[in-house]
Amino acid sequence: KPDVNTKETIMETFPGIEKLILDCKRCDLHKTVTNKVISKGSTHPKVVFIGEAPGKNEDETGIPFCGRAGKLLDKMIDYMKLKEEDWAVINTIKCRPPENRTPTVKEIEICRPFLTAQLNLMNPAVIILLGNTAEKAFGESAGWGEVKKTKDGKNILKIFHPAAMIYKREREQEQYAFLDKYKYLWAD
Ligand code: URA
């Protein structure tokens, strides 16, 4: 009888991934968090958005993109006309870095198996990288506003992180132009 409690097997189910994330002490970030932040949305989405890391609101609630940047992401999802079952949101790392600093390369690497396991299970047709950290964690993209097809046929699109639109308002127009250009990727 196979050992069902190996890490490999646990990583093949959502509750298994969640347990490993909640138990994870592989970097120091777990020491300062209130809640680890795992995912939001559908378990089998057409589109997965990858953000950066939990912020203050997310750390308090355990829900990704529930603060100011989340409102802008919600607006994008509405604009894209995605149905509830068509999208999910995850982050490159699951713990809030102190003072919301950018995750380090080491933190991204340590957390990457969780990101990979989530993507494998969700198996989306489109992966939207929200900014540079998501691109670094995912490992490939064609650059801002460009689509790259992976070997396994997924479309990877890198666009602005919603928070980047808060700091530079003119990016909003560019962001929505990207979404217009690629809407065929997630249209019914
Ligand atoms: N910014 C992110 O990258 N992720 C969140 O969950 C919230 C804000």
Side-chain angles (χ1 to χ4, degrees):
K1 198 173 163 207
D3 177 3
V4 293
N5 290 317
T6 61
K7 268 203 173 156
E8 289 68 27
T9 316
I10 291 175
M11 283 290 230
E12 286 163 17
T13 70
F14 287 110
I17 296 171
E18 182 168 342
K19 181 180 180 336
L20 289 178
I21 292 173
L22 296 178
D23 290 348
C24 181
K25 294 185 167 55
R26 294 193 304 141
C27 79
D28 284 344
L29 293 182
H30 77 277
K31 294 181 186 165
T32 48
V33 299
T34 311
N35 287 292
K36 300 197 179 188
V37 178
I38 298 172
S39 67
K40 176 168 89 174
S42 171
T43 50
H44 292 99
K46 218 186 260 183
V47 179
V48 171
F49 298 89
I50 306 181
E52 183 172 295
K56 188 168 187 287
N57 294 294
E58 292 75 23
D59 180 69
E60 280 166 5
T61 59
I63 301 167
F65 281 94
C66 65
R68 202 162 158 216
K71 291 237 159 44
L72 295 176
L73 180 62
D74 291 346
K75 198 174 145 192
M76 284 165 45
I77 290 170
D78 274 353
Y79 186 82
M80 292 164 77
K81 298 196 169 66
L82 293 173
K83 294 194 222 63
E84 211 175 317
E85 65 272 23
D86 283 345
W87 61 269
V89 186
I90 54 183
N91 280 308
T92 60
I93 66 168
K94 314 309 182 200
C95 294
R96 180 193 185 199
E99 323 283 328
N100 295 345
R101 64 161 171 74
T102 305
T104 64
V105 170
K106 193 158 174 218
E107 286 159 358
I108 292 172
E109 260 171 37
I110 288 173
C111 222
R112 188 182 285 119
F114 297 134
L115 180 70
T116 305
Q118 287 176 311
L119 290 173
N120 285 344
L121 263 183
M122 289 176 176
N123 193 27
V126 181
I127 295 174
I128 300 191
L129 307 173
L130 299 171
N132 288 324
T133 303
E135 178 189 43
K136 223 186 275 175
F138 184 75
E140 55 180 319
S141 99
W144 294 110
E146 301 288 338
V147 164
K148 175 172 182 177
K149 206 156 189 124
T150 60
K151 269 194 237 116
D152 57 351
K154 295 192 192 323
N155 289 294
I156 312 302
L157 171 61
K158 181 188 177 187
I159 61 175
F160 296 124
H161 188 288
M165 292 190 281
I166 298 174
Y167 305 123
K168 257 194 170 184
R169 290 304 301 246
E170 63 268 28
R171 285 191 183 131
E172 187 164 347
Q173 218 182 345
E174 216 180 324
Q175 182 87 322
Y176 281 87
F178 295 153
L179 298 179
D180 277 338
K181 183 172 172 192
Y182 294 111
K183 59 180 181 236
Y184 68 91
L185 291 176
W186 49 82
D188 282 329

